[in-house]
Amino acid sequence: MGVYEDITENFSKFFRDANEFGREISLKPFNYIFIAGMGASALPGDVVKVLKKDVPVETVRSYSLPKYANEESLVLVVSYSGNTEETLQMYNEALRKKCQIIAITSGGKLSQKCLSDSIPYIKIPSGIQPRASLPYLLVPILNLLNYDMQLDSLYAQIENSILKGKAKELAEKLQGKIPLIYSSIPPVSYRWKTQLNENAKIHTFANAFPELNHNEIEGFENLNGEYYAVFISDEGDIVRIKKRMQLTKEIIKEKGIDVTEIAMKGRNEFHRLMIEMYAGSLTSVYLAELNGTDPTQIDLIENFKKRL
Ligand code: F6R
């Protein structure tokens, strides 16, 4: 199975399956959560940071943990393959610092290290591209943290054919353009960007409100490419953010740039977040299809890793 099928057909099944993972481990008390990973394996950290309101959460995409990680920190080491060098180094550091470690991986060196160090790890299914495995990377962490996802009412939203139809229409509009993805929730625009990078294999800008009003907006003075803007608003946006989005939209439309708006409604914050991100995944694979690009292959990432 490739990324196209995994995103368009298998994604809700992945959520269902993933719900089995992460329940068996009980955590010792902690006062800080670090989520250590790279690429798609780091994204769950950004999502958990949005959802968990009772404890500081920090995603670490690096070779080392911050100095202040210590015995009272929970370090979730996430690597789909289990072979990502930066992540393995952070694992070693967490071990040295005597942090509470739980790993999430489909295998590789990380699972071997966990076994030899007697560190608990959640073994997720192998054979999927990490970026299509978001449910397997994220849901076990939320189970571990006892976050109530109410998954039963998410599946139908993922399977909704209207969402797929809209993503197809948007992919057509984005053909030949440089996407500008603007949201009030940083991981949402970032997920869109990385999905468009990795699946459609194009450059994309992503930014979030209110920050983009302090810098990126100036780029509309001297347009240096053919852009298309996607605005993603969320039911939880505060009034000032809504106003900023409206004004920014007006300004960039005046500059001749077309805009598609996605307004996410619903009472469940987790579901809104997942669907906002999923719309980006769908759009990216439909755009790949339109461009005759295979969304599964990531030759440049793999060649790069080899040459390193
Ligand atoms: C590939 C992908 C990448 C990987 C990253 C880290 O589908 O999305 O961003 O996630 O290269 O690799 P893992 O996830 O195996 O640690």
Side-chain angles (χ1 to χ4, degrees):
M1 275 298 174
V3 167
Y4 187 93
E5 294 75 18
D6 286 342
I7 297 293
T8 58
E9 291 166 27
N10 301 332
F11 215 62
S12 67
K13 178 186 169 298
F14 288 176
F15 269 101
R16 271 177 235 264
D17 292 352
N19 201 19
E20 302 303 310
F21 297 95
R23 297 177 182 280
E24 67 286 3
I25 297 172
S26 32
L27 296 171
K28 289 182 275 170
F30 54 87
N31 61 15
Y32 209 105
I33 305 176
F34 294 98
I35 299 184
M38 299 303 301
S41 291
L43 189 84
D46 299 344
V47 174
V48 173
K49 187 178 172 69
V50 172
L51 298 173
K52 278 296 277 181
K53 325 277 185 201
D54 55 346
V55 57
V57 179
E58 189 171 333
T59 312
V60 195
R61 297 172 163 92
S62 180
Y63 278 95
S64 59
L65 295 170
K67 294 260 183 299
Y68 44 88
N70 59 30
E71 285 104 328
E72 283 164 28
S73 310
L74 170 65
V75 181
L76 302 173
V77 180
V78 190
S79 170
Y80 183 81
S81 63
N83 291 323
T84 299
E85 69 171 37
E86 300 94 314
T87 314
L88 289 167
Q89 196 152 317
M90 288 191 277
Y91 169 90
N92 289 338
E93 197 185 346
L95 206 60
R96 271 198 309 276
K97 284 173 169 276
K98 299 191 170 42
C99 306
Q100 178 179 186
I101 306 175
I102 313 282
I104 293 106
T105 184
S106 71
K109 291 181 191 153
L110 183 57
S111 65
Q112 287 159 15
K113 276 175 182 279
C114 288
L115 285 172
S116 63
D117 299 332
S118 302
I119 293 292
Y121 76 98
I122 299 169
K123 190 178 176 341
I124 56 175
S126 57
I128 309 167
Q129 277 290 333
R131 60 195 180 282
S133 311
L134 178 65
Y136 289 113
L137 295 166
L138 173 65
V139 170
I141 297 179
L142 292 173
N143 277 337
L144 196 63
L145 299 173
N146 289 320
Y147 182 90
D148 181 10
M149 289 171 274
Q150 299 176 9
L151 280 180
D152 285 344
S153 46
L154 179 66
Y155 308 135
Q157 296 181 57
I158 292 174
E159 288 156 16
N160 183 338
S161 56
I162 299 172
L163 180 67
K164 295 196 169 116
K166 287 193 172 155
K168 272 191 187 148
E169 280 171 28
L170 179 55
E172 280 166 22
K173 292 179 179 155
L174 288 175
Q175 242 196 320
K177 302 278 171 68
I178 304 166
L180 305 171
I181 313 296
Y182 296 153
S183 158
S184 55
I185 308 173
V188 169
S189 20
Y190 191 65
R191 172 71 169 170
W192 273 71
K193 171 187 150 53
T194 55
Q195 292 283 272
L196 286 159
N197 294 151
E198 290 182 76
N199 296 335
K201 291 151 210 324
I202 56 165
H203 277 302
T204 300
F205 287 89
N207 212 325
F209 291 97
E211 176 67 11
L212 72 92
N213 292 138
H214 298 271
N215 34 61
E216 189 157 327
I217 194 168
E218 280 298 320
F220 294 101
E221 285 292 9
N222 290 319
L223 286 176
N224 57 354
E226 274 202 55
Y227 295 103
Y228 191 98
V230 181
F231 280 66
I232 306 157
S233 63
D234 182 270
E235 169 120 25
D237 291 339
I238 60 169
V239 174
R240 292 300 285 172
I241 292 288
K242 287 194 175 94
K243 178 145 198 202
R244 281 173 181 276
M245 282 200 183
Q246 185 55 38
L247 259 178
T248 309
K249 216 160 33 200
E250 283 171 24
I251 291 170
I252 70 171
K253 277 186 173 171
E254 285 159 19
K255 298 286 181 186
I257 291 168
D258 288 329
V259 175
T260 284
E261 292 177 58
I262 299 172
M264 197 52 61
K265 302 263 179 267
R267 266 174 304 164
N268 187 308
E269 185 183 20
F270 171 68
H271 295 181
R272 293 199 308 271
L273 209 55
M274 289 302 101
I275 299 300
E276 285 163 20
M277 290 184 173
Y278 183 53
S281 303
L282 285 170
T283 305
S284 71
V285 294
Y286 292 138
L287 183 57
E289 188 178 29
L290 288 172
N291 289 340
T293 298
D294 176 0
T296 306
Q297 294 305 321
I298 37 168
D299 294 342
L300 287 174
I301 295 180
E302 274 161 12
N303 285 341
F304 180 86
K305 284 185 182 173
K306 277 194 202 120
R307 284 165 69 171
L308 196 68

